[in-house]
Amino acid sequence: MSPLVDLGTRKFWRALGRPVDLTGEHAWLRAPTSAGPVVRDGWLAAEAALHDGYVEEAAPGAGLLASMADLDGPGFRAADLLPQVREFYEHTADWQVEVWSSWAPWAWPGGELVSRLFGKRVQQLALPMRPMDVAQGMDSRVSVIRDHAGNQVASGWLRTLRATGEYVFSGCYSSRTLPGVDRPSVHVAFPLESGNVQVFLRPQVQPDGSLLLESPSGPFGGDGAYVVVEDGGATYASRMPVHETFHVHVDDRGVLRTDHLLRLQGATAMRLHYKLLPPA
């Protein structure tokens, strides 16, 4: 039954999407995919091979981005960020993550259905449905993807439930500039079998030095969320009506926190809150 569900899902997104050329006009949508239905961390080696490089596991101080300055451009300067914010993104592996979740009542049944049909089974995008799901904490691992010269081209951020070892998120993080845009966005890709989910987040520095990342609504080719599927020897992409906001800030006690808001169209579906603890 599961293969039929996955195939039907790809057919659905193919019908909604448009043909894309990942080696040409739409190269900005090229991202890792999974070789099989269970994702976990199996995509890392294949992605490194595309860069004629290697995966550096358990590297002390590894970050989602080599430098937040990779995002610099008109309207954004990493130098204006609070030091704790930069430290987290540039040395993510050194930090511990605690998380709390809350679903809107109208969105919970759909989230539970997706979690049961896909998330837990494929070990990807298994959003926590209940606060107790993450009561024992979440483990975080950063695997750096380097090219043949040793340069960081992306990072895999792998988060698992401490209680069960099950994967919650397995994402590929990098900076990427969209067509016709004057500065990079944060690019996050979640590999799936024969496709992926991608989010382009536009960074902004707030007056207090906190970081705001947003995936707004807009036209195809802009910041936002996309589904990419491979089907019948061709590739298709569609924008998703999912919009996210991350506010990474320091509270009045000096603790780094992140408020994560997920909306469907304009309605709030889910809130996640992260407490980010620096190395001792």
Side-chain angles (χ1 to χ4, degrees):
M1 184 64 179
S2 296
L4 292 177
V5 171
D6 294 342
L7 178 61
T9 302
R10 287 195 290 274
K11 296 294 185 183
F12 171 81
W13 286 110
R14 170 179 175 166
L16 289 184
R18 64 180 72 185
V20 291
D21 177 10
L22 300 185
T23 62
E25 178 185 0
H26 306 103
W28 53 275
L29 278 171
R30 198 218 63 81
T33 62
S34 174
V38 179
V39 180
R40 298 193 181 102
D41 59 358
W43 55 272
L44 285 164
E47 182 65 14
L50 288 176
H51 296 280
D52 192 23
Y54 58 95
V55 179
E56 184 178 13
E57 296 282 10
L64 300 182
L65 298 177
S67 172
M68 288 296 282
D70 293 344
L71 302 173
D72 280 354
F76 181 89
R77 286 201 329 150
D80 296 332
L81 289 168
L82 290 167
Q84 298 97 316
V85 175
R86 290 198 67 166
E87 183 69 19
F88 173 74
Y89 278 93
E90 295 173 356
H91 303 286
T92 315
D94 293 341
W95 292 67
Q96 295 181 30
V97 179
E98 296 181 5
V99 60
W100 294 265
S101 64
S102 174
W103 283 83
W106 68 266
W108 192 91
E112 179 71 9
L113 181 64
V114 171
S115 177
R116 288 177 180 271
L117 284 179
F118 299 99
K120 293 180 180 179
R121 174 173 58 84
V122 305
Q123 299 279 286
Q124 175 65 291
L125 293 173
L127 294 170
M129 297 306 303
R130 304 163 185 82
M132 289 302 292
D133 289 348
V134 289
Q136 295 187 38
M138 189 182 292
D139 288 324
S140 170
R141 169 178 138 224
V142 177
S143 300
V144 179
I145 300 170
R146 299 191 182 278
D147 63 17
H148 66 281
N151 300 310
Q152 178 172 331
V153 293
S155 282
W157 193 13
L158 314 168
R159 283 164 283 177
T160 56
L161 292 177
R162 192 165 299 154
T164 64
E166 294 177 339
Y167 279 74
V168 180
F169 301 106
S170 178
C172 183
Y173 289 71
S174 64
S175 61
R176 187 169 294 186
T177 303
L178 289 162
V181 178
D182 55 8
R183 61 181 171 88
S185 299
V186 174
H187 178 241
V188 188
F190 298 98
L192 295 167
E193 183 180 23
S194 300
N196 48 59
V197 171
Q198 301 182 39
V199 184
F200 292 86
L201 297 154
R202 189 164 180 83
Q204 300 175 47
V205 182
Q206 300 300 285
D208 62 356
S210 62
L211 174 66
L212 190 68
L213 297 171
E214 292 186 296
S215 60
S217 59
F220 190 93
D223 288 298
Y226 296 81
V227 173
V228 176
V229 296
E230 300 167 356
D231 186 65
T235 306
Y236 303 84
S238 175
R239 276 197 69 122
M240 300 173 67
V242 175
H243 312 297
E244 294 180 271
T245 302
F246 297 81
H247 183 211
V248 189
H249 61 97
V250 175
D251 69 13
D252 57 4
R253 296 189 177 184
V255 177
L256 187 64
R257 297 181 180 272
T258 299
D259 293 313
H260 176 191
L261 181 67
L262 186 150
R263 301 183 306 279
L264 293 177
Q265 298 291 4
T268 298
M270 183 186 187
R271 296 177 185 270
L272 288 165
H273 178 78
Y274 298 89
K275 181 180 180 181
L276 308 171
L277 302 172

